[in-house]
Amino acid sequence: MSVVVVGVLVVAPALWLARLTRWSWSGWPDREGLARWAADPLTSGTVAAAAVVGGWLLWLLVVAVVLLRVLVRVRAVAGWVRRMRLPTPWQATATGLAGVAVLGANTGPVPGGVTDQPSAVPAGVGGSGEVPRRGSADQRVGVTVPGGWLPRGTAEQVAAAGVLLWLRRRRSYRPVVPGQRRSDDDLVPLPAVVAAARTGVAADGGAAGGGAGPAAEGWEVDGPAGVVFPAGGVGLTGPGAGDAARGVLVTAAVRSLRDPAAVVRVVTTRADLEVFLGAGAAAPAVAGVQVASTVADAVAVASRAAGQAPAGGNVGGGDRVVLLTCGPVDDRLVGAVAGGVAVVVVGRARTGGVWEVDASGRVRGSRGPAVRGRMCVLDVAAARDVLAVVSPPGTAGGGALAVFAPGPAPPAPGAGDRPVDPGPDGGGPPADRDGGGRSGVAALRLRLLGGVGLSVRDTPVAVRRSAALQVLVFLAVHSGGGTVRELVEAIWPGVPAHRVTGRLYTTVSDLRKAIREATGGSEDGGVSVVEHVDDRYRLHPDIDVDLWRLRRAVRQATTAVTGRPAAWQAVIDLYGGCLADGYTWPWLDTPRETVRRDVIDAHVALADTQTDPRQAVTLLEAAIRVDPYNEHLHRRAAHMLTALGDGDTARALLRAFQDRLAGAGLDPAT
C-alpha cells in the first residue's frame, strides 16, 4: 500500500503537469514577445506558465523526499543483513569450534581416571570485544580490549597467560582443615583486558589461523605485507605514540611466553619505563624485555643482544633487537643503530622514519597519509595488568597470587541488593527440594555440575542462543541476581554497556521464550523463570539447581557440630563434575574454582577422619581427580603411599604430576 500511495503521489502529478505544460507552452518567446510581456506581465498566459513552473518545483521536492527515504530504508536493511545471526545449527557449530580452539589443548591422560583437564590456549588467539561486524577485518587481525587494541598473536598469548595464571592458583592451593576459615583472596577475577582477549578468542573461533605469519607477531604492524620497523629505527608521533610504545613492551613480554629461551627483544631504561607505565611500576620479569639503569647500559645490552641475533633478520620478525626510549636521541643511540639495533623513539628521531600513530593504533608514514598498518596500543592501566598476568610467579609483577583491580566485578554468589532469603548457604532458596508444596516452576531442573543442562519433567529444554545459556548459568551461579550492567560486563567484557544493553533484553526474552515453549507456552503455570525486580534479574528460587544443593551441603558440613564425616560425604556425593564443564566464559573462573576448592576440602576433611591409611589415600586420589593440578594433594598422597611401603606408586604419582605441569606450560621447578 505504501508503494502504491507513493507511486500515485509521484506519477499522477507528473502526468497532470506534463499535460498543463503542453497546453500552456507555445515555444520560447522572441524579441517581440518579450517586449509585450514587459509591457503587460500579468496576462493569463504568464500566470498559467508561472503556476506550471511552481508545480514542477513542488513535484521535484516530493521526489527528493521520496528518494531520501528510500536511501535511508535501503541502508537500514543493509545494516540488518550484516548483523544477521547465523542459523542456529551453524552458530552451535561455530561455538563448539571456538571452545576447542580456545581451551581444547589436551594435556594428556591422568593416571587414576582423571578427566578434568584444564587446557591451555594455543599460541594464537584473536577476536574483538567491540562486537564488530562478523568477518570484519578488525575481527580477523586483532581484538579491541578496554584500554586499547591487541594484534591477533598478542591477544592469543594474553589469553594463554590468563589460563596459566589460573592453573598456578590451582597448583598452589592448600586445603583447609575443618574449623579453619578459608581465604580465597587469590580468586580475584583477572583484569578486563584479559577477559576481553579470551572472549574475542572464543568469538573468532581461531578462524584466522594460529600464531604464524606477520599478523601474529606482536610488534609487527598488522597489514597485508607485514610492515615492520625500518632498519634504522623510527620515531612514533601522534596521539597513539605512547600507547604504541607500551604495546611494543607488552608484545615482547607475551612473546617470551612462547619462547622463554629467546634473546632479549626490547631494551629500555628505568626512566623510560616509568614514563610508559607510571611511577613505581615493576620491571617485566620476562625474557623478552630488559630494563637498564641508564641509556648507556641500554645501548650496551641492546648491542650485545643484537650480536646474538641471527643474521639477516627483520625488525618485528623478532630477530633484531628494539631499543625503546622517550629520547632525546643522542650519539649513543645513533651508534646503536649502526650496530644493528632498531631504535624506536616516542617523538622525532634523528635516524630512520617517522610514523604517526592515531589513538586506535593505525599508522601513517611521514611520506603520505596512507595507512600502513596497525600497531598494538594499550593505555597505562591495561599494559600494567597484562604485564602482571604474564610475569612468572615470585616476581614483583605477577605470580599465582597476583591481585588485580579489574573494576566492577560480578556479584558474589548469593549476593543481592534487595532482601532475599538465599537459604542456609547463601546459594539458593530454603525450600525442601524433596517435598511437596512447591510452585509449578520447580519442575524445571538446571544441571551445572559436569556440564550444563536444563530440563522440565526430565525433558531437555533447548536454549538456542549461547548468550541466553550464559545468562541462565550466570543467574544460577549468582543466586542473588545481577543488574543489567553486571550481566553485560560479564557476558560481553570490554564492550561499553550501552552498546549491548538491547542485546541483553533480546537474550533474556529468547530464554523465556525457550522455557515457555518447553513448558506448554506458559512458563509452567504462568510463573516467570527469570524474574526482574528492583532492577535485578534473578532465577525463580523454586528451580531445582544442583549447584544450590551442593552449596547447601557445604554449609551444613562446615557448621556441623556432630556427624561431620557424613556431612562431608554428602558434599562428595553431590559433586557431579566441574562447574559448567566445557564452557570457557571468563567470569566463570572464580565460582568454578570456589566449587572445586569446596569439594577438595571435603575430600581432605573426610580423609583426616579415616583410621585406615589406605582409605585416606583413596580419598586423596579422588581429590586429585577433582583437581589434577594441585601440588599439595599429590605430595600428601605420595607421602602416605611411601609410609605404607608403596614407594614406586608414590614416585610414579609425582612423576606424572611433573609431566602434567610441563605439558600445560607450567615450570615444574617453580
Side-chain angles (χ1 to χ4, degrees), residues 84 122 187 221 314 337 371 421 472 495 543 582 609-610 640 651:
M84 186 171 60
L187 296 187
V221 183
N314 282 340
V337 172
V371 176
D421 184 3
L472 180 65
V495 184
I543 297 177
T609 66
Q610 302 299 312
M640 295 186 71
R651 286 187 291 272

Side-chain angles (χ1 to χ4, degrees), residues 200-211:
V201 168
D204 197 27

Side-chain angles (χ1 to χ4, degrees), residues 465 467-468 471 492 502-512:
R465 285 177 179 258
V471 167
W492 296 284
R503 182 179 297 186
L504 175 64
Y505 297 149
T506 303
T507 299
V508 173
S509 176
D510 186 80
L511 176 61
R512 288 170 170 165

